[in-house]
Amino acid sequence: MFKYIIKRLLMLIPILLVVTFVIFTLLYITPGDPAKMILGQTATEEAVAELRAELGLDQPFLIQYLNYMKDLIFHFDIGTSYTTGQPVIDEIMNCLPATLKLALSSILIAVVVGVPIGVISAVKQYSIFDNIVMVLGLAGISMPVFWLGLLLIILFSVRLGILPASGYSTWQQMILPAVTLSAQSIAVVARMTRSSMLEEIRKDYIRTVRMKGQTEMRITIFHGLRNALIPIVTVIGTQFGSLLGGAVMCETIFSIPGIGRLMVDSIKTRNFPIVQGGVLFIAIGFALVNLLVDIIYAFLDPKIKAQYK
Amino acid sequence: MEHTSNEKLLDIRDLSVEYHSNGKIVKAVSNLNLSLKKGETLGFVGETGAGKTTTALSILRILPELPSRITSGEIWFNGENLLLKSKKEMQQIRGKEISMIFQDPMTSLDPVATVGKQIEEMIGLHEKLPKKELREKAAQMLEQVGIKRERIDDYPHQFSGGMKQRVVIAMALSCNPNLLIADEPTTALNVTIQAQVLELMKNLKRQYQMSMIMITHDLGIVAEICDSVAIMYAGNIVEYGTVERVYENFCHPYTEALFDSIPSLDEDQEELKVIAGLTPDPTNLPSGCPFHPRCPYAGPECAQQAPEVRETEPGHIVRCHKDLKGGSGNE
């Protein structure tokens, strides 16, 4: 198991190399000159050229990339922000708490609400509950975040006045954004739980447990759900991974200074070091979540655990 | 036969079970009567789809709930009607009083729990024992079926098919049930393993002094371990009697056809004998006797009227208009 984790962590290196190269290339070919953006429309040609030289933007693409990688590998330095002059790593770390808080609370809601709904839907397949919940689930998946967010603000902050509409420091402030963001995840988790459970509870071993005299509740949870967990954990992982990348819409509506907003602002101002750093961070986050999911697999399925040795 | 007494352990009366599929009603079992004495081993023989497993699952009341329904009948076990029991009461009977071994050992164990845990679960449900004793008892059960106790923490995928079936047997017997239902316990196994598992079941049956219903296609297995035999066709028993009686003196054309389809070693057969025709479509059973379209002796009355059961001799029951004598095929 330990060896497997080390192996997987080493496999991160080529992935990150590819990610940095791709994002570097994309930004290089993006129209718009950062130097012009920084100095503004009125800047003289000379001033722009000078700044370009200072930032290293006048050099050939490959040299720029190699310089970037050299700093990254030897100094763990991913550059400084063009606009604030702060190290990129600090800018990202400043936004991280808000994003983490939002991602963790939404995924928590998604699991706590989605899994039980999926289980009940599967056990009571085609019941009224199942039908209603699955329609709501479809709505949850299709509903745009900005619309749901605004509706919730109108209801809970404006009309009822019981929840704050912005901020992220207190738990009351987290409720609306977390609920807004989790709507889609709840639906995805519930649907996956339902279909995975439907498959498991029809299997022969469930009949064996029933033959033993076990109660339906325990059959459903300790055998059905236990066996259905792998695909459920997979979607929870993917959902969490994408939440880590920041939820631009949600962060914008509720004025939360998270990674998503940082990235969008940086793209608008051609603040390339931040964009690169942000993408790198998201890629690492995604890879780590995937690794975590794979490790959880081993605890869920003895066959997978045997393969990891 | 050694422990057979005259006391009835199981008595099924007029059992009917229906399945609903795509708006059609499938009569899986219709008006089935069957009884089993204490200590008796009954062979339950018939083609696939005859309703053998459905009957067995009805006894435990673990038929799949949505599409199937017991429409009528009574199932008396130890003097109590199981169909009137509450859910909770049934849970106490399952495993403890009546236990079952399923056909396919590959799929009948939970893949993510160790075999020890699965046996412990069964024991723990019916006996309040401390954890240590549960584990010890599970280990003993494994030894009983010829599996080393060191393997108690292994998962099902680490066992072969035959070994898995041994685990299932160990589990089924762990609470010392009065009745064991074995649903084709050897069908999914290869021939050498089949013999081992059968031998094991025979020995354990003697040791535990329980009654057993052995569902099978294999008349050889019935001859080897059963006291009596029930031949099932299209949801009902067409012939029932002691193994000696039925094997030497079968009276139903279907039973005859089953015996005829066993290849003979003496004759040089070019082709295997088969029963003409197909198992009837359960959504649309033939009128009268459901076997009449395939029956070589069928007369006009067979298509019109369902035959009543007759007793050709005390304890030998047949459901047929005709009277075959000793399998000679003469009326």
Side-chain angles (χ1 to χ4, degrees), chain A residues 204 208 211-212 214 223 227, chain B residues 95 107-108 110 118 121 126:
Chain A
D204 282 355
T208 310
M211 180 279 290
K212 293 181 188 179
Q214 187 58 279
H223 295 275
N227 275 281
Chain B
T107 56
S108 51
D110 186 333
Q118 301 194 46
E121 180 182 26
H126 302 290

Side-chain angles (χ1 to χ4, degrees), chain B residues 30-47:
Chain B
S30 48
N31 303 318
L32 179 133
N33 285 287
L34 182 69
S35 68
L36 185 72
K37 295 191 212 72
K38 279 198 175 140
E40 185 182 353
T41 301
L42 171 78
F44 216 19
V45 182
E47 284 166 288

Side-chain angles (χ1 to χ4, degrees), chain A residues 107-179:
Chain A
I107 207 71
L108 192 73
I109 296 175
V111 172
V112 169
V113 179
V115 172
I117 285 181
V119 170
I120 298 172
S121 269
V123 174
K124 306 270 176 215
Q125 195 191 5
Y126 303 135
S127 66
I128 297 172
F129 176 87
D130 181 30
N131 284 323
I132 292 177
V133 161
M134 284 306 115
V135 171
L136 284 181
L138 194 63
I141 289 178
S142 353
M143 185 141 40
V145 166
F146 59 87
W147 187 61
L148 177 64
L150 291 178
L151 284 186
L152 289 178
I153 289 176
I154 291 171
L155 180 62
F156 290 99
S157 307
V158 180
R159 288 273 166 80
L160 301 174
I162 49 177
L163 287 171
S166 67
Y168 68 102
S169 23
T170 65
W171 65 268
Q172 288 98 329
Q173 286 172 320
M174 287 309 290
I175 292 179
L176 284 187
V179 168

Side-chain angles (χ1 to χ4, degrees), chain B residues 3 15 50 91 99 101 121 131 134 151 163 185 226 242 248 276 279 291 295 305 329:
Chain B
H3 301 290
L15 179 73
Q91 280 162 6
S99 203
I101 298 170
E121 180 182 26
K131 267 198 170 162
L134 277 180
R151 303 209 60 187
M163 294 290 260
C226 297
T242 63
E248 282 160 20
T279 322
F291 188 58
C295 179
Q305 204 181 357

Side-chain angles (χ1 to χ4, degrees), chain A residues 220-290:
Chain A
T220 308
I221 293 170
F222 293 120
H223 295 275
L225 182 59
R226 174 69 182 69
N227 275 281
L229 275 179
I230 284 206
I232 301 174
V233 167
T234 312
V235 293
I236 293 173
T238 350
Q239 290 289 317
F240 186 62
S242 54
L243 289 179
L244 271 189
V248 183
M249 290 287 186
C250 188
E251 286 172 359
T252 310
I253 295 167
F254 294 98
S255 338
I256 296 171
I259 304 272
R261 264 181 75 188
L262 177 71
M263 294 281 287
V264 173
D265 290 347
S266 307
I267 292 169
K268 277 192 232 158
T269 56
R270 301 290 181 273
N271 198 342
F272 291 166
I274 299 264
V275 180
Q276 278 154 6
V279 172
L280 195 61
F281 164 81
I282 291 168
I284 293 174
F286 231 111
L288 289 181
V289 169
N290 273 334

Side-chain angles (χ1 to χ4, degrees), chain A residues 125-126 203-205 207-216 222-223 226-227 300-303 306, chain B residues 57 60 62 66 91 94-95 99-100 102 107-112 118 121-122 125-126 155 157 171:
Chain A
Q125 195 191 5
Y126 303 135
K203 287 196 177 162
D204 282 355
Y205 68 84
R207 192 174 59 182
T208 310
V209 187
R210 203 164 273 143
M211 180 279 290
K212 293 181 188 179
Q214 187 58 279
T215 59
E216 285 303 313
F222 293 120
H223 295 275
R226 174 69 182 69
N227 275 281
L300 294 179
D301 188 339
K303 276 187 232 169
Chain B
L57 295 177
L60 278 162
I62 52 175
L66 262 185
Q91 280 162 6
R94 286 180 204 136
S99 203
M100 185 158 174
F102 297 98
T107 56
S108 51
L109 289 169
D110 186 333
V112 302
Q118 301 194 46
E121 180 182 26
M122 174 86 154
L125 279 168
H126 302 290
Y155 290 93
H157 72 271
M171 194 165 71

